[in-house]
């Protein structure tokens, strides 16, 4: 096809999109709806925040839930509405972007703070929080191994002034990984965000459709919700993206739109992995066997080839468990001789890792 023909085709295609979508922003994953579906677990958190507002006595929380189960959305929404009705301040930091206690504090203070110690930063942080403050730490499982004790949790739990920490994670193992001194001081209450059911996903889709689309079909929403629950552990992102494709690519079947959306989300997740996690995924792909120790051996070699220090086996293993919690790998216990050992299997098409590694590392 020549360039002029391609331009014409794409212009028609984009024109089609513009005609069927009223507001593209509702398909943005960071979009916070005015009235999100309220999960039961959110009510519990609201009660807890109200209690903290009145008594000043915090109960800290560790919220665990699978990909797309609404952890970030729910807490961001509470951050928006709860302070309007209470005297609480609610702060939010994402530990993927700010992956040590020091960086989180610098981010919350809005400073660069090179040269300061962690204690100085924490003092400054306390001074900047005159009122009762809840601190949301999203994706806490992605904190760097350079901060193995997740110091900020310890400090928040020991501070003289009232702080309430809410940590969000995909990986349930993160609770076991918290340093014992921190755990006994923080005593985080585990709260599991269960998978959404099909009716809930339909409702979330209906809300997006009402705001974002010119027309939609209820039966389609139900079909997308059912597929999402059956095939993705109820990842709402896949459902939202499928809905988007069904209206912007009317020539494709629903099943094709769903597969497309699912693949896109997997690519997004892999693209967002840190370099060490991506290398671990690559090692799973190229290791001589699927046994975890062979994968580790291959991972160490990949690090050496790049002149990087590999994770310890313990940290490597907890990274595998994180990759399992976001649905990229499956750890399958297999009996070898008299003991059980884990095999690591990729949950998606192998060439994706190869392509992303090539783009990221140029190899
Ligand atoms: N209760 C809800 N009401 C409306 N939209 C929702 C709801 N729950 C989730 N969503 C939407 O689904 C998408 C995924 O939700 P969210 O980002 O909160 O998931 P998550 O649990 O934080 O996932 P991850 O573990 O990947 O970070 C977002 O676009 C969000 O707006
Ligand atoms: Mg999230």
């Amino acid at each position: 096809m020549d360039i002029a023909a391609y331009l014409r085709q794409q212009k028609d295609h984009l024109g089609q999109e513009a005609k069927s979508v009223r507001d593209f922003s509702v398909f943005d994953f960071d979009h916070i709806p005015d009235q999100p579906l309220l999960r039961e677990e959110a009510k519990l958190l609201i009660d807890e925040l109200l209690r903290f507002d009145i008594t000043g006595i915090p109960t800290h929380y560790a919220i665990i839930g699978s990909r797309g189960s609404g952890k970030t959305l729910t807490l961001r929404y509470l951050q928006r509405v709860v302070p309007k009705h209470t005297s609480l301040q609610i702060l939010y930091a994402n530990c993927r972007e700010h992956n040590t206690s020091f960086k989180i504090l610098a981010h919350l203070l809005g400073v660069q703070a090179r040269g300061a110690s962690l204690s100085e930063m924490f003092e400054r942080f306390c001074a900047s929080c005159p009122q009762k403050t809840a601190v949301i730490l999203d994706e806490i499982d992605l904190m760097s191994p350079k901060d193995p004790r997740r110091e900020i949790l310890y400090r928040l739990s020991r501070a003289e002034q009232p702080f309430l920490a809410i940590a969000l994670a995909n990986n349930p193992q993160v609770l076991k990984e918290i340093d014992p001194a921190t755990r006994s001081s923080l005593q985080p209450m585990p709260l599991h965000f269960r998978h959404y059911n099909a009716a809930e996903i339909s409702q979330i889709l209906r809300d997006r459709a009402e705001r974002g689309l010119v027309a939609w079909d209820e039966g389609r929403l139900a079909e997308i919700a059912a597929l999402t629950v059956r095939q993705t552990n109820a990842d709402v992102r896949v459902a939202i993206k499928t809905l988007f494709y069904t209206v912007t690519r009317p020539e494709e079947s629903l099943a094709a739109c769903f597969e497309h959306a699912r693949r896109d989300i997997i690519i997004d997740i892999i693209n967002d992995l840190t370099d060490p996690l991506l290398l671990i995924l690559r090692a799973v792909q190229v290791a001589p066997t699927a046994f975890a120790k062979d994968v580790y051996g291959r991972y160490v070699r990949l690090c050496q080839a790049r002149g990087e220090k590999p994770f310890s086996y313990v940290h490597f293993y907890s990274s595998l468990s994180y990759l399992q919690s976001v649905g990229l790998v499956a750890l399958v216990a297999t009996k070898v001789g008299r003991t059980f050992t884990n095999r690591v299997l990729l949950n998606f098409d192998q060439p994706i890792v190869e392509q992303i590694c090539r783009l990221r590392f140029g190899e």
Side-chain angles (χ1 to χ4, degrees):
M1 190 187 293
D2 68 21
I3 288 186
Y6 179 75
L7 266 169
R8 267 198 307 278
Q9 175 202 299
Q10 289 306 92
K11 201 169 159 216
D12 286 351
H13 192 75
L14 293 175
Q16 179 71 37
E17 275 190 14
K19 262 191 253 157
S20 42
V21 181
R22 205 145 41 103
D23 179 359
F24 280 91
S25 74
V26 304
F27 295 100
D28 183 335
F29 295 138
D30 294 332
H31 168 75
I32 302 181
D34 294 333
Q35 298 280 339
L37 176 88
L38 189 65
R39 326 181 42 116
E40 279 303 310
E41 300 88 342
K43 293 186 190 158
L44 198 145
L45 286 171
I46 293 172
D47 293 351
E48 205 56 73
L49 289 167
L50 291 175
R51 204 169 297 137
F52 176 53
D53 184 36
I54 293 165
T55 64
I57 301 169
T59 303
H60 307 289
Y61 272 85
I63 298 178
I64 310 291
S66 64
R67 219 170 72 199
S69 62
K71 300 180 295 298
T72 301
L73 184 272
T74 302
L75 273 296
R76 286 240 119 180
Y77 184 70
L78 295 184
Q79 181 192 23
R80 182 192 277 183
V81 297
V82 171
K84 290 184 188 153
H85 301 276
T86 62
S87 59
L88 296 180
Q89 161 175 249
I90 305 189
L91 303 176
Y92 172 93
N94 186 301
C95 304
R96 179 197 297 268
E97 290 161 34
H98 313 284
N99 66 358
T100 63
S101 299
F102 190 89
K103 289 182 192 165
I104 293 167
L105 290 169
H107 165 70
L108 293 175
L109 283 163
V111 297
Q112 294 281 330
R114 288 199 191 90
S117 71
L118 185 64
S119 297
E120 281 162 359
M121 289 293 278
F122 194 70
E123 263 173 43
R124 280 167 71 180
F125 176 66
C126 289
S128 74
C129 296
Q131 77 252 58
K132 290 167 215 150
T133 301
V135 182
I136 302 164
L137 297 170
D138 201 354
E139 306 200 78
I140 192 124
D141 24 16
L142 292 179
M143 277 184 80
S144 160
K146 287 183 199 140
D147 189 354
R149 298 185 55 204
R150 296 182 171 88
E151 193 75 27
I152 188 166
L153 289 176
Y154 183 73
R155 295 199 181 232
L156 288 173
S157 66
R158 303 294 294 199
E160 276 174 19
Q161 62 200 85
F163 285 116
L164 186 156
I166 303 177
L168 313 185
N170 286 91
N171 186 3
Q173 296 298 328
V174 82
L175 283 171
K176 292 195 195 133
E177 284 171 19
I178 295 178
D179 171 70
T182 306
R183 205 176 330 151
S184 76
S185 162
L186 193 72
Q187 306 237 347
M189 192 77 126
L191 176 62
H192 189 250
F193 272 25
R194 58 170 179 76
H195 292 172
Y196 286 120
N197 61 34
E200 289 167 326
I201 295 185
S202 284
Q203 196 178 324
I204 293 171
L205 291 178
R206 191 172 310 111
D207 178 66
R208 307 278 157 140
E210 280 169 359
R211 275 149 221 276
L213 297 181
V214 175
W216 67 93
D217 175 62
E218 280 292 326
R220 277 234 134 167
L221 302 187
E223 267 182 82
I224 298 172
L227 269 178
T228 307
V229 168
R230 243 192 348 259
Q231 296 193 29
T232 75
N233 284 343
D235 180 350
V236 181
R237 270 190 213 107
V238 176
I240 292 174
K241 192 124 199 189
T242 305
L243 176 63
F244 181 72
Y245 283 153
T246 57
V247 289
T248 56
R249 303 177 177 195
E251 68 286 358
E252 285 188 15
S253 68
L254 180 70
C257 292
F258 178 77
E259 272 319 312
H260 223 107
R262 189 150 72 151
R263 193 180 151 87
D264 283 359
I265 302 295
I266 290 282
I267 292 175
D268 283 352
I269 298 171
I270 300 176
N271 256 327
D272 284 346
L273 292 177
T274 56
D275 288 357
L277 287 172
L278 182 57
L279 276 186
I280 292 177
L281 220 48
R282 179 81 174 133
V284 177
Q285 188 199 3
V286 295
T289 77
F291 290 115
K293 67 172 180 19
D294 288 334
V295 175
Y296 182 65
R298 186 52 67 106
Y299 159 73
V300 170
R301 275 174 48 195
L302 288 173
C303 287
Q304 283 162 349
R306 293 167 43 78
E308 282 170 20
K309 189 167 173 272
F311 287 161
S312 65
Y313 189 73
V314 170
H315 196 76
F316 162 82
Y317 208 83
S318 78
S319 302
L320 278 183
S321 149
Y322 169 79
L323 291 172
Q324 169 160 265
S325 73
V326 292
L328 292 176
V329 304
L331 298 177
V332 183
T334 311
K335 196 160 187 201
V336 178
R338 289 190 180 174
T339 53
F340 277 93
T341 173
N342 265 326
R343 289 191 311 134
V344 192
L345 307 175
L346 286 182
N347 273 344
F348 55 90
D349 292 345
Q350 302 214 0
I352 299 177
V353 194
E354 208 170 319
Q355 284 157 13
I356 294 179
C357 282
R358 205 172 306 129
L359 286 171
R360 176 103 52 105
F361 306 129
E363 55 199 38

